[in-house]
């Protein structure tokens, strides 16, 4: 099976929907999956973020994100990006944790990378 890394960099509903959708598909097919949130995408780590806004195709982040949380798909959250937005790791989904650029680069060196 393949190793996939999905990097989300914007707090954008459509980009988040596609990122979470493809991560779910890859994981459900048995691939190794990691996600990493950078820049304004770190907002998606917060449990109470509203992910119900529908995209043009009729789906939304909440259609896919719960699967990733329930299946404990690891999500790294850029530490300086989160800290500068005053996001507290205690408010994150349980599969999400503060992480840094060195780990992101190590994961990218071993994976097929998708950027959203």
């Amino acid at each position: 099976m393949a190793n996939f890394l999905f990097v989300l960099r914007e707090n954008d509903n459509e980009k988040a929907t596609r990122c979470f959708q493809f991560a779910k598909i890859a994981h459900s097919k048995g691939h190794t999956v990691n996600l990493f949130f950078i820049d304004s995408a770190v907002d998606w780590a917060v449990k109470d973020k509203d992910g119900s806004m529908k995209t043009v195709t009729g789906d939304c982040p909440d259609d896919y994100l719960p699967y990733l949380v329930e299946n404990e798909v690891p999500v790294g959250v850029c530490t300086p990006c989160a800290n500068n937005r005053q996001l507290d790791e205690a408010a994150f989904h349980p599969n999400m944790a503060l992480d840094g650029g060195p780990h992101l680069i190590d994961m990218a060196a071993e994976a097929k990378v998708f950027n959203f």
Side-chain angles (χ1 to χ4, degrees):
M1 301 312 284
N3 185 8
F4 291 99
L5 172 61
F6 296 89
V7 180
L8 182 62
R9 64 174 295 269
E10 292 183 45
N11 184 6
D12 177 276
N13 189 62
E14 289 190 6
K15 290 181 181 186
T17 300
R18 289 307 143 241
C19 178
F20 302 159
Q21 177 189 24
F22 291 126
K24 177 186 176 184
I25 291 169
H27 185 268
S28 68
K29 293 175 82 54
H31 297 290
T32 300
V33 173
N34 285 279
L35 288 89
F36 203 97
F37 297 162
I38 60 172
D39 299 329
S40 64
V42 297
D43 289 340
W44 288 103
V46 178
K47 288 181 233 179
D48 63 357
K49 178 159 178 55
D50 182 10
S52 65
M53 187 169 72
K54 299 289 185 187
T55 65
V56 175
T57 55
D59 53 352
C60 63
D62 281 351
D63 291 335
Y64 311 109
L65 184 57
Y67 171 93
L68 301 174
V69 173
E70 290 166 14
N71 287 277
E72 300 177 351
V73 175
V75 180
V77 181
C78 171
T79 299
C81 301
N83 288 344
N84 285 310
R85 289 169 176 80
Q86 300 176 349
L87 299 180
D88 183 0
E89 191 174 28
F92 292 178
H93 291 279
N95 63 320
M96 302 182 188
L98 293 173
D99 205 347
H103 187 226
L104 173 62
I105 296 303
D106 289 343
M107 288 189 297
E110 302 296 324
K112 297 172 190 327
V113 180
F114 287 80
N115 291 293
F116 295 87

